[in-house]
Amino acid sequence: MSFSPLLQQLINALRCLPGVGPKSAQRMALHLLERERDNARQLAGALLQAVEQIGECQQCRTLSETPVCDICSDSERDAGLVCVLESPVDLLAIEQSGGFQGVYFVLKGHLSPIDGIGPEDLGIPQLLDRIEQGGIRELILATNPTVEGEATAHYITGQIAREDIRITRIAHGVPVGGELEFVDGGTLAHALAGRRVINRDVS
Amino acid sequence: MSFSPLLQQLINALRCLPGVGPKSAQRMALHLLERERDNARQLAGALLQAVEQIGECQQCRTLSETPVCDICSDSERDAGLVCVLESPVDLLAIEQSGGFQGVYFVLKGHLSPIDGIGPEDLGIPQLLDRIEQGGIRELILATNPTVEGEATAHYITGQIAREDIRITRIAHGVPVGGELEFVDGGTLAHALAGRRVINRDVS
C-alpha cells in the first residue's frame, strides 16, 4: 500500500521530529488530517515564524528572538557568574531547576575533531574575549559528563590565561532520589571520588 | 522560566500532535531550531499542502487528494465486497496486511448520541444508497470491537433492507502470535464463542 503523494510527503516531513519513526509519523499525519486541520495550519505557521525569527543571543548564543536574550539583558542576574553549557536544552533544564542566578554561555555542541567541530564552531574565542574583558568571577563548566563534554571542559580550562577567575566543573554523582542499586559504575566511581565531609566545615 | 513568546507558541502548537506532551513538545521545538531548520520549513510546507489539498473520496470517504481515491478507482479491486471501517487509519492497517481485494467505506467515527454523532455524520445514508443501487455482494462490518463500534455495526445491519447481501462482522479472537496468558478475558470469551471446527469442512 502506498499513500497518496501529499500524505506520504507529510509523513516523511514529520519524521524530522526527534523520536518520531515511520509508524508515529503515519499516526500523526492521519490524526492531523482527520481531526486537527486548524491546529495543523497553526503548527505550520508557528514553525515558519520560529524558523524565520528565532536567532541566537549575541552574548550567550542561546536561542533568542531578540539580539540579546532575556537572561543576558536582565540586570538582576549575576553577570560575574557564567555557566557554560552544550545546548539551549541544558539552559532550560537549569533555569527550570530554579537555583541559578548567574548568566550562561551556550557552546551549541562539543569539540569533535572527527566531525570537524573545532573551538571556533563552539564560539570559544568569543567566550575567551568575554573573559579577557574582565568582570567574570567564576566560570562553571557544565558540559555533559561524557568523553566529549569532559574534553571540551578541559580545552576551555587550558585556554584561560587569567588567574583571578575561579573555574569549576559541576559535580557528578548519584542523582537525588535515585537508588544506588540502579546507578551505573562510572557514576558511582565519580560519586565516591567526589565525596564530601559533612560533619565539619570544609573550605 | 518562561520561554520566548515565539518558542512558546511553537511548543504549544506541537502539542496538537498525538502523544506529544509538554516535555516532548519542548524537546521537539528546540531540536528543530537547533539542528533542523530546513526540515522544519519543509514540515510547515507539507502541513499546509496536506491540509489544503487532501479532502475525502466521494465514494468511500477516506482521505484522498483526488475526488475518487486510488482504491475506489482501481478496476482490479472487487467493488462487490465492501469493508466498512471507522477510520482511514484502519483502512491503512488492512491495506498493509495485504489480504483484502475489495473496496472500503469509511465512517470516520462511530455512533455516539451523547456527542451528537448520528448516522448522517458517519455517511450511513450514503452507504445505504450505494447498497440500494445494487452490485454489492458482501458488506464486512469492521468497526472496532468496542461498545460503540458494535452498536454502529448493529445499527447498519438493521438499516439494510435487501436480502441478497451477505453482512459479516470481522472475527474477534486471540491475536496471532499472542500468548493466551496475556489476552484479556473479553477477547478470550469471544475467541471461545467463535471457535471453528478444524478437522472437517464446514460451511
Side-chain angles (χ1 to χ4, degrees), chain A residues 132-154:
Chain A
E132 274 309 307
Q133 286 162 27
I136 298 180
R137 288 191 322 280
E138 178 172 349
L139 195 70
I140 305 174
L141 299 174
T143 52
N144 289 331
T146 56
V147 175
E148 297 86 353
E150 296 290 353
T152 308
H154 187 78

Side-chain angles (χ1 to χ4, degrees), chain A residues 30-98:
Chain A
L30 291 167
H31 178 85
L32 288 174
L33 287 169
E34 272 187 86
R35 273 186 289 267
E36 309 245 25
R37 290 190 175 230
D38 284 345
N39 286 336
R41 261 190 217 96
Q42 271 178 25
L43 174 56
L47 278 167
L48 286 177
Q49 255 196 311
V51 167
E52 301 303 336
Q53 295 177 33
I54 297 182
E56 67 179 40
C57 169
Q58 287 164 2
Q59 269 183 276
C60 73
R61 289 170 47 102
T62 195
L63 294 169
S64 171
E65 58 208 69
T66 46
V68 176
C69 75
D70 287 353
I71 296 173
C72 288
S73 53
D74 183 347
S75 61
E76 302 212 337
R77 309 281 301 213
D78 181 356
L81 180 62
V82 178
C83 181
V84 178
L85 298 167
E86 287 190 29
S87 131
V89 190
D90 301 337
L91 187 155
L92 288 172
I94 293 188
E95 282 296 292
Q96 281 167 352
S97 78

Side-chain angles (χ1 to χ4, degrees), chain B residues 107-179:
Chain B
L107 301 170
K108 296 201 175 169
H110 44 242
L111 290 176
S112 179
I114 282 182
D115 303 312
I117 299 177
E120 292 73 27
D121 303 299
L122 304 182
I124 292 178
Q126 189 180 338
L127 174 64
L128 296 173
D129 276 355
R130 194 160 142 195
I131 290 168
E132 274 308 307
Q133 286 161 26
I136 297 179
R137 289 190 322 279
E138 179 172 349
L139 195 70
I140 305 174
L141 299 174
T143 51
N144 288 331
T146 56
V147 174
E148 297 87 353
E150 297 289 353
T152 308
H154 186 78
Y155 174 84
I156 294 173
T157 310
Q159 296 295 309
I160 297 174
R162 293 179 78 113
E163 295 196 345
D164 58 346
I165 291 181
R166 229 175 126 192
I167 303 175
T168 55
R169 182 94 177 93
I170 46 162
H172 300 332
V174 179
V176 176
E179 295 182 38

Side-chain angles (χ1 to χ4, degrees), chain A residues 1 3-6 9 16 30 32 34 36-37 39 41 44 46 49 51-54 63 65 88 92, chain B residues 1 3-4 6 9 16 30 32 34 36-37 39 41 44 46-47 49 51-54 63 65 88 92:
Chain A
M1 163 72 188
F3 299 99
S4 71
L6 286 180
Q9 173 185 306
C16 73
L30 291 167
L32 288 174
E34 272 187 86
E36 309 245 25
R37 290 190 175 230
N39 286 336
R41 261 190 217 96
Q49 255 196 311
V51 167
E52 301 303 336
Q53 295 177 33
I54 297 182
L63 294 169
E65 58 208 69
L92 288 172
Chain B
M1 163 73 190
F3 299 99
S4 72
L6 286 180
Q9 173 185 305
C16 73
L30 291 167
L32 288 174
E34 271 187 86
E36 310 243 26
R37 289 187 176 230
N39 286 335
R41 262 191 215 96
L47 279 167
Q49 254 196 311
V51 166
E52 301 302 335
Q53 295 177 34
I54 298 182
L63 294 168
E65 58 209 68
L92 288 172

Side-chain angles (χ1 to χ4, degrees), chain A residues 124-178:
Chain A
I124 292 178
Q126 189 181 335
L127 174 64
L128 296 174
D129 275 357
R130 194 159 141 194
I131 290 169
E132 274 309 307
Q133 286 162 27
I136 298 180
R137 288 191 322 280
E138 178 172 349
L139 195 70
I140 305 174
L141 299 174
T143 52
N144 289 331
T146 56
V147 175
E148 297 86 353
E150 296 290 353
T152 308
H154 187 78
Y155 175 83
I156 294 173
T157 310
Q159 296 296 307
I160 297 174
R162 292 180 78 112
E163 294 197 345
D164 58 344
I165 290 181
R166 227 176 128 196
I167 303 174
T168 54
R169 181 96 178 90
I170 45 162
H172 300 331
V174 179
V176 177

Side-chain angles (χ1 to χ4, degrees), chain B residues 1-16:
Chain B
M1 163 73 190
S2 59
F3 299 99
S4 72
L6 286 180
L7 187 55
Q8 189 61 55
Q9 173 185 305
L10 177 57
I11 293 171
N12 292 344
L14 283 164
R15 292 198 53 194
C16 73

